[in-house]
Amino acid sequence: MSVAEKQDSSDRAYVLSDSDFTAISGLVLQQSGIHLGDAKKDLVYSRLTKRIRVRKMNGFSEYIEFVKSGAGAAEREELISAITTNVTNFNREGHHFEHFSEHVAPGLIERARRGEPIRMWSAACSDGREPFTLAMSLLNKMPEAGNFNIKILATDIDRKSIQIANTGQYTADMVNRLDKATVGKWFDPVGNMMQVKKPVRDMVQFNVLNFLDKWPMKRKFDVIFCRNALIYFKADMQEQIFDGFTQFLHDDAYMYIGHSERIVGRAVDKFKSVGPTSFQYKPKGIK
Ligand SMILES: C[S@@+](CC[C@H](N)C(=O)[O-])C[C@H]1O[C@@H](n2cnc3c(N)ncnc32)[C@H](O)[C@@H]1O
């Protein structure tokens, strides 16, 4: 939480009562699966105060009435966007990309060269830095990957993050996390921004997708990255989503989760650990 989000309640322009907080957390849970415990009250205050100001409303009660109303559909999306934490980075938890490059990519490349389609999913991709890192990792191993049937689907509930992802443009500060050679190889300066090069962008298809909605994908995946999103969900919701992933993974496919996350529910017995928070899907049992 930022300093602004820890603001003293005496400086506050609005009052966030317990019942208003309960109404907001109920709505957020229902719309997104995100669980807002009492410790998130300051965060809710700080993030939604901005929305109340934009809407020129008197306070939380009026805002809640509006988002619950038929006319509030667009604001419900703004509410979820304001509440989601979209922190991400290029090469975040870099050991996953090292594992992928060393142990997973060679098999995928061989299969792609035999003409098989290769599908990867960055689920809860935020503004795209995760799937672009994945695409760069693959292209480093197979520069001609664009000539093969290899695609990364990248989805997030937050439309604003997906809009940024679709531009492929990031600030120099964001990009400078990568080493100079990688930046030179995969980014072009565009004005005062850095844009991911076309072969990388071409590999990734971005879509808005809420985990709670029906997943419209037709094909199973060879790799799923779902990192640092389910941590915001309660265990029962996490279970449902991990169960969902098992329906969308080929046997022996790989899944990477965030450093503080763990698989829960029925799916646990179907994943073999192949490294820190790195798994292989073994539906017929872990040998
Ligand atoms: C902290 S970011 C993680 C981004 C990236 N996976 C990473 O590890 O760097 C969590 C993302 O989960 C997304 N998210 C939260 N609830 C979601 C839901 N119900 N469906 C899809 N995405 C969701 C948020 O919008 C946010 O972009």
Side-chain angles (χ1 to χ4, degrees):
M1 199 184 304
S2 68
V3 174
E5 283 168 353
K6 276 197 202 142
Q7 197 184 20
D8 189 311
S9 55
S10 56
D11 314 330
R12 291 182 165 185
Y14 307 105
V15 175
L16 176 58
S17 67
D18 287 348
S19 64
D20 285 346
F21 178 70
T22 304
I24 290 166
S25 50
L27 206 65
V28 169
L29 183 69
Q30 181 202 28
Q31 299 281 316
S32 70
I34 296 171
H35 166 64
L36 294 170
D38 286 345
K40 296 285 166 72
K41 209 169 164 187
D42 286 342
L43 176 145
V44 166
Y45 179 88
S46 133
R47 295 192 186 176
L48 294 192
T49 293
K50 295 183 188 110
R51 295 306 312 159
I52 291 170
R53 292 207 171 105
V54 169
R55 288 280 176 184
K56 299 190 169 43
M57 290 181 167
N58 291 322
F60 282 94
S61 303
E62 190 185 354
Y63 183 75
I64 293 162
E65 279 314 305
F66 179 63
V67 286
K68 281 162 90 178
S69 71
E75 187 56 35
R76 282 197 288 281
E77 202 170 312
E78 291 287 349
L79 163 69
I80 298 305
S81 182
I83 292 297
T84 52
T85 295
N86 309 110
V87 174
T88 188
N89 230 324
F90 288 109
N91 203 30
R92 183 181 194 186
E93 298 179 43
H95 63 96
H96 285 152
F97 299 102
E98 281 163 27
H99 182 275
F100 171 80
S101 299
E102 229 174 279
H103 302 287
V104 182
L108 299 184
I109 291 169
E110 209 180 292
R111 285 176 39 212
R113 290 204 169 113
R114 287 203 302 265
E116 288 181 37
I118 301 299
R119 293 290 177 273
M120 293 169 268
W121 181 15
S122 168
C125 65
S126 187
D127 67 13
R129 284 176 266 177
E130 174 180 282
F132 283 141
T133 307
L134 182 59
M136 289 180 234
S137 305
L138 192 83
L139 281 158
N140 282 336
K141 298 287 249 186
M142 189 194 201
E144 74 285 20
N147 301 331
F148 292 84
N149 190 351
I150 303 176
K151 290 274 169 234
I152 299 170
L153 171 69
T155 61
D156 199 281
I157 193 174
D158 181 25
R159 191 172 301 277
K160 289 181 184 166
S161 292
I162 293 296
Q163 278 164 358
I164 296 171
N166 269 320
T167 69
Q169 292 189 14
Y170 301 93
T171 63
D173 268 2
M174 293 172 179
V175 167
N176 284 343
R177 181 183 168 83
L178 295 164
D179 60 73
K180 278 207 170 68
T182 305
V183 177
K185 189 171 175 188
W186 294 122
F187 291 83
D188 289 319
V190 174
N192 57 359
M193 302 290 275
M194 297 295 281
Q195 185 173 41
V196 177
K197 285 194 178 176
K198 196 167 180 306
V200 184
R201 281 186 281 134
D202 283 350
M203 191 176 282
V204 187
Q205 164 74 51
F206 290 102
N207 282 329
V208 173
L209 179 66
N210 183 347
F211 282 133
L212 267 47
D213 292 341
K214 189 173 171 357
W215 299 355
M217 295 82 82
K218 300 269 182 295
R219 288 177 192 265
K220 292 190 175 190
F221 294 93
D222 301 289
V223 177
I224 292 179
F225 274 67
C226 183
R227 309 184 310 160
N228 309 303
L230 299 189
I231 188 91
Y232 299 104
F233 289 44
K234 273 196 165 161
D236 57 341
M237 207 70 93
Q238 294 181 3
E239 274 189 49
Q240 281 179 35
I241 293 167
F242 282 120
D243 251 359
F245 288 154
T246 65
Q247 306 302 308
F248 277 92
L249 282 167
H250 289 299
D251 290 13
D252 295 331
Y254 290 86
M255 182 173 78
Y256 299 94
I257 64 175
H259 64 283
S260 54
E261 295 169 326
R262 62 189 183 90
I263 303 173
V264 290
R266 288 187 302 185
V268 171
D269 297 333
K270 297 180 181 162
F271 286 95
K272 177 181 163 186
S273 170
V274 291
T277 51
S278 311
F279 301 90
Q280 193 171 21
Y281 180 50
K282 294 277 182 192
K284 298 186 183 93
I286 302 165
K287 275 179 232 127

